[in-house]
Amino acid sequence: MSVPPSAEPTLWELHRAVSQLREDLRGDLAQLAARLDQVVTQDVYRADQRATEQRIGQVEAGLAGLRSEHDQSTERGELQRREDQAAATRRLVISSFVAPLLLMALQLWLLSAGTAR
């Protein structure tokens, strides 16, 4: 199978195609260089990851401290509530039982003092 002479590209067409490929290649290389400027090395990435892990560890430690403080505060509040409830119960016992007994004793004393004259 033979190719007719008119089907082959001329030298000018070849030159134009090669020039176009060269321009495309330059553009692609420029884009690749721009992307490589944003890439970091593995050492820098690992160092950043270590720093991030340290910060997370510090935050977790601080959070654990805050959690323990909160738990202690909750326990103190619960203890205070129980103490207040015990004091209220004592006041109730005094006002319900002891005070009427004292009033009855006072009345008996007044009654006996009134009959002694």
Side-chain angles (χ1 to χ4, degrees):
M1 187 163 143
S2 68
V3 176
S6 63
E8 291 183 15
T10 63
L11 290 177
W12 178 250
E13 289 173 341
L14 286 175
H15 172 49
R16 221 174 42 191
V18 168
S19 295
Q20 182 63 37
L21 285 173
R22 185 180 295 149
E23 289 301 316
D24 290 345
L25 186 60
R26 281 186 188 152
D28 292 343
L29 288 176
Q31 288 177 353
L32 183 61
R35 288 180 63 194
L36 286 176
D37 287 342
Q38 298 173 356
V39 175
V40 296
T41 63
Q42 285 184 353
D43 295 334
V44 171
Y45 178 76
R46 287 183 188 135
D48 184 58
Q49 287 299 102
R50 282 192 301 272
T52 301
E53 288 174 5
Q54 287 176 349
R55 285 193 306 264
I56 289 172
Q58 291 171 351
V59 168
E60 287 175 345
L63 184 60
L66 289 174
R67 183 175 291 133
S68 68
E69 288 177 17
H70 177 265
D71 291 344
Q72 290 173 358
S73 175
T74 303
E75 288 175 15
R76 283 193 305 265
E78 184 66 26
L79 181 62
Q80 183 65 37
R81 187 187 65 78
R82 285 189 205 131
E83 289 174 1
D84 291 345
Q85 189 174 12
T89 303
R90 282 191 300 272
R91 283 192 302 269
L92 179 65
V93 166
I94 290 171
S95 64
S96 296
F97 298 110
V98 175
L101 289 175
L102 288 177
L103 287 174
M104 188 170 62
L106 179 65
Q107 285 177 346
L108 289 174
W109 180 73
L110 288 174
L111 187 63
S112 67
T115 57
R117 289 188 194 177

